[in-house]
Amino acid sequence: MTKAMYSTVMLLSILYCFLSQVSPLPVKNSTGANEGKVRLKRKYSDEMPDYDDITAMDQILEVNRMFRAPRGLSFREGDIAVSHVRSAINCPGNACLWPKSVDGFVYVPYLLSPLYDDMDRITIETGMQDIATGTCVKFIPRTHEASFLDIQPRYGCWSFLGQTGGSQTLSLQTPGCMWSGVASHEFMHALGFVHEQSRSDRDHYVTIVWKNVMRDYMHNFRKQVTNNLNSPYDYNSVMHYGRYAFSEDGGPTIIPKPDPYIPIGQRDGPSALDLHKINVLYNCGAN
């Protein structure tokens, strides 16, 4: 063997050893990344919905889990603000309804924070319009009214229940809460509506899978003393929790019955029954 051939063989041998050590590394790294994705998916269950199936309430809970309630407030059911002064979550005797005008409309004055940009304003106003076009409730910019919604990009997505009197904050954080369906959800709280699965008759229509609910959040599934307005249960309500709300291990916490595959909740805006219930509660169409 010549010196040149010997050098070539040695060079090829060294190169082969180097490649045999290096080549597995990308495979190993890729496998580790895939395993991480699998673990993440399993954490939230293989049944978790795709992005297109995320409900307004799913988005609200995702945003709110990153924030604490402001001082003096607590949140019930994930996004209903309750002050230490007013501890009740319900609205006995319709005492928290916005007043009806002599012209048959219910005017809800609001201030919109200047911190919102144009796209934010369009999103929020779309949430208002989706309610106003099907009901006698009209959202109007505040001029001199004593009671009004002060819409702010605070911490998370939340509202008080019904009219509290005076200036009341309604928080729509940007960008997390900037879905028109999320805005409609919070405006319906401000009109006096709790979540659909909190209805007093909900056990006829859904099963709460208590073993799948995070222990510290079981109180969010308590039934409320509600006026159901002689209206059917609405699986499609923008006020309905998603199937996996407050899940401990990724399993469903709410299962419809008798058909467990009925979709529950959505993010597009008020359903036809949501608008119907607003009309019934506020006696729209009658002066």
Side-chain angles (χ1 to χ4, degrees):
M1 180 181 294
T2 66
K3 186 175 180 179
M5 292 178 62
Y6 179 81
S7 299
T8 302
V9 170
M10 289 299 294
L11 182 60
L12 290 173
S13 299
I14 292 171
L15 183 60
Y16 174 80
C17 292
F18 177 77
L19 291 175
S20 65
Q21 292 177 354
V22 174
S23 60
L25 292 180
V27 177
K28 183 177 180 181
N29 288 345
S30 177
T31 302
N34 288 336
E35 286 175 353
K37 291 179 181 178
V38 170
R39 285 196 298 271
L40 181 63
K41 187 173 183 181
R42 284 176 181 165
K43 178 181 177 183
Y44 294 101
S45 168
D46 292 341
E47 298 180 88
M48 278 297 287
D50 295 329
Y51 176 79
D52 290 341
D53 296 324
I54 293 175
T55 68
M57 193 64 201
D58 291 333
Q59 178 68 8
I60 289 168
L61 295 179
E62 179 66 20
V63 173
N64 287 359
R65 71 182 179 85
M66 296 184 288
F67 300 105
R68 290 184 178 180
R71 182 175 300 221
L73 295 179
S74 59
F75 292 151
R76 307 282 179 88
E77 300 189 5
D79 69 330
I80 300 176
V82 179
S83 70
H84 297 330
V85 175
R86 181 186 180 196
S87 60
I89 192 174
N90 54 10
C91 179
N94 293 340
C96 66
L97 298 190
W98 296 81
K100 194 172 187 180
S101 177
V102 293
D103 63 5
F105 290 103
V106 176
Y107 295 104
V108 180
Y110 69 89
L111 288 180
L112 203 55
S113 170
L115 296 176
Y116 290 117
D117 64 23
D118 289 343
M119 288 304 299
D120 293 338
R121 295 176 69 91
I122 290 171
T123 299
I124 294 169
E125 289 169 357
T126 298
M128 296 177 182
Q129 193 64 24
D130 285 345
I131 291 174
T133 53
T135 71
C136 64
V137 174
K138 308 299 174 190
F139 296 90
I140 58 171
R142 186 217 180 199
T143 52
H144 61 280
E145 295 84 359
S147 296
F148 60 95
L149 297 178
D150 183 15
I151 305 170
Q152 296 282 343
R154 292 287 182 92
Y155 306 104
C157 326
W158 50 268
S159 172
F160 289 93
L161 189 70
Q163 183 196 62
T164 63
S167 170
Q168 65 182 80
T169 301
L170 188 150
S171 178
L172 291 170
Q173 179 73 22
T174 182
C177 308
M178 287 301 111
W179 297 12
S180 60
V182 168
S184 293
H185 180 107
E186 299 305 337
F187 289 134
M188 283 193 66
H189 281 321
L191 291 175
F193 289 90
V194 295
H195 297 112
E196 186 71 1
Q197 80 289 331
S198 295
R199 284 172 52 142
S200 59
D201 62 350
R202 66 105 185 272
D203 291 334
H204 297 297
Y205 306 100
V206 298
T207 298
I208 306 301
V209 189
W210 294 103
K211 68 182 179 66
N212 289 345
V213 179
M214 290 186 283
R215 185 176 300 275
D216 292 342
Y217 295 95
M218 287 184 172
H219 58 86
N220 288 326
F221 290 86
R222 292 173 183 160
K223 290 183 292 185
Q224 304 298 329
V225 179
T226 55
N227 176 358
N228 299 322
L229 305 171
N230 293 317
S231 298
Y233 190 89
D234 187 10
Y235 297 103
N236 194 46
S237 172
V238 76
M239 305 304 289
H240 206 299
Y241 275 10
R243 189 178 299 264
Y244 303 92
F246 299 104
S247 176
E248 174 70 40
D249 56 4
T253 54
I254 305 175
I255 298 179
K257 56 184 182 184
D259 180 359
Y261 298 103
I262 296 174
I264 54 175
Q266 43 89 10
R267 65 182 185 188
D268 296 332
S271 68
L273 274 174
D274 284 332
L275 298 176
H276 169 74
K277 285 183 286 190
I278 293 173
N279 284 327
V280 173
L281 181 64
Y282 281 92
N283 199 21
C284 293
N287 290 325

